[in-house]
Amino acid sequence: SPSREHVMVTTTATTTTTTAILRQPNLKKLSLANCPVADNDLRPLHENITNTTSEHRRPTRSLVCSSLMTLNLSCTLVTDAGLSRILQKTGALRQLNVSGCSGLMSTSCLILAVASNPWLRSLRAGRGTGAYVDDAFGRALSKAECRHVMTCLHLQGIQRNSLVTMKGRSAAARLAASSKGGATSPVLASALSHLPYLSDFTMHECENLTDDVVMSIASSCSSLVIFSLKKGCHRLRNEKALSTVLSLPSLSTFEIGDLTRVTRFTPAPAPQSLTRVSVRGCLMLTNDGLLDIVGCSSTLEALDCSMTLVDDHGLLALLKRCRRLHTLHARKAQEIQFQRLNQNLKNII
């Protein structure tokens, strides 16, 4: 790299090369995305430097972590222990990306990240991690100084209450708690209400996500640009909360997967700036529901209506509004007659 402050390591780099790079004392931006590096390979980031053989002098303290502003470890082999050792010595991080790190199994590292870095603006910890957020993370985020500047938050999902820890309760009570999901959702909702500048909220597994989180985002995050709930939105049923999110003036991406309890939306005002919409797996969504979401967004460029009740009449009405649409996914949309749709499209082109 021409500058010691900005380093991006590719997947072809050897461990020796990576180690030498990590010993640079002035690193500010470091990306090891998709590299097969593990905890031992990252030791130069946080270990003290032994630069003397004298028994009377202590090793010089590592200054690498304290200067880091951007750290991308996505799709690496780092674990909770290794990441914790790094984060304990950080303090200036603006961006942290650990998405796709299957070795991360708890939220202790995420708590450490938000607590130790008051200027943390982007935290990406979804897409394949085992770090499902819990009550402790919600409380830490509510108190962290970075809540005033955070703009991007990607999470894997919400932790469910463990039946193993519910000793002393009846079988019926344990079953009821299991079906209800974790108690983290209200805590997370409270935390999100303290993020006024949040522009990107993404959650990959939403089985335990409840309406209070969506309502908190809708009422507190007026600068939201990306709202993405990838899959498992079976518990959501508050049409008003989702409609409020859709009416946010800056919203460009709206993704909600497996929504089965809401069929219509009433955004006011109607969406004007949407460019990407995904309603994949929303089994009860009909033509009217899809048109409610799209509104008057002539800017729409990509749509995924797979596994919905949308038919070719609905798509035709949508295509008349959205002349910029260039990507359409409609897998397993049984109501769509594509031959008839193609014929009708010829008539409007």
Side-chain angles (χ1 to χ4, degrees):
S1 173
S3 170
R4 291 183 178 182
E5 294 183 354
H6 302 214
V7 174
M8 181 178 68
V9 181
T10 64
T11 55
T12 58
T14 64
T15 302
T16 303
T17 303
T18 304
T19 301
I21 291 173
L22 297 185
R23 291 193 183 280
Q24 303 294 340
N26 298 316
L27 280 179
K28 290 187 177 180
K29 296 184 179 181
L30 175 63
S31 175
L32 298 171
N34 298 296
C35 292
V37 293
D39 294 347
N40 286 337
D41 303 318
L42 299 173
R43 288 170 61 185
L45 280 177
H46 58 81
E47 275 191 341
N48 291 338
I49 303 171
T50 304
N51 56 1
T52 178
T53 58
S54 172
E55 297 180 358
H56 305 288
R57 292 185 61 185
R58 296 180 179 178
T60 303
R61 182 178 180 183
S62 172
L63 300 177
V64 177
C65 287
S66 61
S67 65
L68 277 176
M69 299 176 67
T70 298
L71 179 60
N72 186 350
L73 298 176
S74 60
C75 300
T76 61
L77 304 177
V78 66
T79 66
D80 294 311
L83 183 59
S84 294
R85 285 192 287 268
I86 295 174
L87 293 175
Q88 284 170 0
K89 292 190 176 181
T90 59
L93 279 180
R94 268 65 167 176
Q95 300 179 30
L96 175 63
N97 188 345
V98 290
S99 295
C101 296
S102 57
L104 300 182
M105 302 303 295
S106 74
T107 56
S108 57
C109 294
L110 307 186
I111 294 172
L112 192 57
V114 299
S116 304
N117 297 278
W119 296 102
L120 188 65
R121 297 174 183 173
S122 174
L123 175 60
R124 298 172 182 262
R127 192 172 50 84
T129 70
Y132 291 80
V133 295
D134 53 13
D135 289 346
F137 174 79
R139 288 190 291 267
L141 186 59
S142 297
K143 298 176 182 178
E145 294 183 35
C146 65
R147 70 184 187 275
H148 301 298
V149 297
M150 184 167 286
T151 60
C152 176
L153 183 61
H154 288 203
L155 301 173
Q156 177 66 19
I158 295 178
Q159 190 177 88
R160 165 174 282 192
N161 279 343
S162 174
L163 296 180
V164 178
T165 62
M166 301 173 65
K167 296 180 180 180
R169 297 193 182 185
S170 65
R174 292 197 300 271
L175 181 60
S178 174
S179 62
K180 186 177 181 181
T184 307
S185 195
V187 179
L188 181 61
S190 176
L192 291 173
S193 67
H194 294 88
L195 306 180
Y197 299 107
L198 190 67
S199 61
D200 180 354
F201 179 77
T202 299
M203 183 172 288
H204 290 264
E205 297 184 14
C206 307
E207 286 81 2
N208 295 322
L209 182 70
T210 52
D211 289 315
D212 49 2
V213 174
V214 179
M215 182 59 76
S216 181
I217 293 174
S219 59
S220 304
C221 306
S222 58
S223 302
L224 202 66
V225 176
I226 299 174
F227 179 77
S228 180
L229 306 178
K230 297 294 186 181
K231 62 179 182 178
C233 300
H234 305 294
R235 299 181 187 276
L236 300 184
R237 64 177 70 189
N238 191 328
E239 169 267 326
K240 181 179 179 181
L242 293 169
S243 297
T244 304
V245 171
L246 279 168
S247 64
L248 294 174
S250 302
L251 191 72
S252 65
T253 298
F254 181 82
E255 298 179 331
I256 188 161
D258 305 324
L259 182 71
T260 56
R261 301 191 182 190
V262 177
T263 58
R264 294 297 303 268
F265 302 86
T266 55
Q272 299 289 334
S273 56
L274 286 175
T275 59
R276 178 180 176 82
V277 169
S278 174
V279 288
R280 182 182 181 87
C282 298
L283 300 178
M284 305 303 293
L285 191 72
T286 60
N287 296 339
D288 293 333
L290 180 61
L291 295 176
D292 288 341
I293 294 175
V294 174
C296 301
S297 297
S298 59
T299 56
L300 189 68
E301 298 176 355
L303 170 67
D304 188 345
C305 59
S306 302
M307 294 179 283
T308 64
L309 294 178
V310 174
D311 60 23
D312 46 297
H313 296 293
L315 282 184
L316 185 64
L318 182 140
L319 292 170
K320 289 180 179 179
R321 298 185 187 185
C322 308
R323 293 304 184 102
R324 296 186 184 180
L325 188 72
H326 57 68
T327 302
L328 173 63
H329 294 282
R331 299 184 182 92
K332 297 183 180 180
Q334 306 294 338
E335 303 297 323
I336 299 178
Q337 302 294 327
F338 285 100
Q339 290 184 349
R340 184 168 59 187
L341 177 62
N342 290 334
Q343 185 61 42
N344 290 330
L345 283 176
K346 294 178 181 178
N347 297 331
I348 66 173
I349 294 178

